[in-house]
Amino acid sequence: MDTSQPLARVALVGDHDPAVVAHQGIPLALGLAAGDATPRLSWEWLHTSTLVGDIARSLADFDGVWCVPGSPYANIAGVLAAIRIARQGRLPFLGTCGGFQHALLEYAEAEWGVPSPAHAELDPTAANPVIAPLTCGLVEQTGEIRFEAGSRLLAIHGSPDAVEGYHCNYGLSPAYAARLDAGALRVAARDLAGEVRAVELAGHPFFVATLYQPERSGLAGQRHPLIAAFVQAVRAQASAAAPYWPTRVKISR
């Protein structure tokens, strides 16, 4: 491979832990999705403790953001700011597991007008958390999901359903699920019980968040269509003109 080729760079936002199964799978999944196409794909782990000060500048050299599993994060405010920068700056974004939860927290505050939206894992006494305990935990579980008609995820997969793996006990509270019926953030996939398992942002080049962990496909040596689509969006961003970067990002927490 010609190392002089330009790079398409992904920021892996999260607190890297080599013992976490999803973290083991992410580089493998990205490598399988990237192949030998150009621009060459590279990625860098950004510990959330480093997301301070001018976070937009910290992300300016990247062409995509993946908010990875492993919450609670060391610096929640930094994670929410990175998600907001990707959303407002139209930077390709993928959030999985904890990334899904925090993408919803960021959107709830910014677009749904929920003041200081709560995550029940961090605030068990919260009266109306946006992220609440699942009725049935999904730690090291697999389950079938069904993609919503007309969704980007359906187009990406080319089939109406898939089986995916999880490692989580928290998801979107049913009390807030109806908010996805209107507005730009929409349901992209549900489980067989009808619970929200993925969302996507209409009008954004690529903004998808899943409660499940598609990166586990890398451990099985399988190329995952969602991660391949994310990589394609990152490469398109790298080949395009410089994105708009908001200079001030307000996060209440």
Side-chain angles (χ1 to χ4, degrees):
M1 183 182 296
D2 182 1
T3 57
S4 67
Q5 296 171 359
L7 291 177
R9 301 186 66 204
V10 175
L12 299 176
V13 172
D15 304 327
H16 182 242
D17 182 346
V20 173
V21 172
H23 292 190
Q24 297 169 15
I26 286 170
L28 299 173
L30 284 171
L32 287 165
D36 294 327
T38 57
R40 292 187 302 116
L41 189 74
S42 69
W43 51 88
E44 180 179 338
W45 295 90
L46 295 185
H47 197 279
T48 65
S49 64
T50 68
L51 297 174
V52 295
D54 190 350
I55 299 172
R57 184 175 296 277
S58 299
L59 294 176
D61 290 334
F62 293 96
D63 306 296
V65 172
W66 184 343
C67 188
V68 306
S71 59
Y73 302 112
N75 177 12
I76 295 170
V79 170
L80 295 174
I83 294 170
R84 186 159 299 176
I85 288 165
R87 182 175 63 82
Q88 294 180 340
R90 298 175 60 79
L91 190 66
F93 173 83
L94 178 63
T96 56
C97 197
F100 167 89
Q101 296 164 6
H102 285 73
L104 285 164
L105 290 174
E106 187 279 323
Y107 199 84
E109 180 186 62
E111 301 296 332
W112 293 346
V114 180
S116 300
H119 191 311
E121 184 177 20
L122 304 172
D123 185 1
T125 64
N128 191 22
V130 171
I131 303 301
L134 297 171
T135 303
C136 296
L138 291 171
V139 174
E140 296 304 309
Q141 299 293 314
T142 59
E144 183 177 346
I145 55 168
R146 293 178 176 170
F147 304 115
E148 295 287 285
S151 67
R152 170 174 276 178
L153 272 185
L154 176 60
I156 287 171
H157 281 262
S159 62
D161 50 35
V163 175
E164 297 286 352
Y166 297 84
H167 187 91
C168 60
N169 282 313
Y170 298 86
L172 178 65
S173 168
Y176 289 92
R179 303 209 184 198
L180 297 170
D181 294 338
L185 191 67
R186 304 170 182 173
V187 179
R190 301 179 187 270
D191 68 6
L192 297 185
E195 299 295 324
V196 177
R197 294 295 177 253
V199 296
E200 59 190 35
L201 187 63
H204 192 285
F206 191 98
F207 192 103
V208 178
T210 69
L211 188 61
Y212 53 89
Q213 298 181 344
E215 56 267 39
R216 287 173 175 248
S217 62
L219 297 168
Q222 298 173 351
R223 186 175 185 267
H224 197 284
L226 173 56
I227 298 173
F230 172 64
V231 168
Q232 183 180 24
V234 170
R235 282 177 163 149
Q237 174 69 21
S239 300
Y244 160 72
W245 292 101
T247 56
R248 296 177 64 85
V249 177
K250 181 180 179 182
I251 299 291
S252 64
R253 62 189 73 208

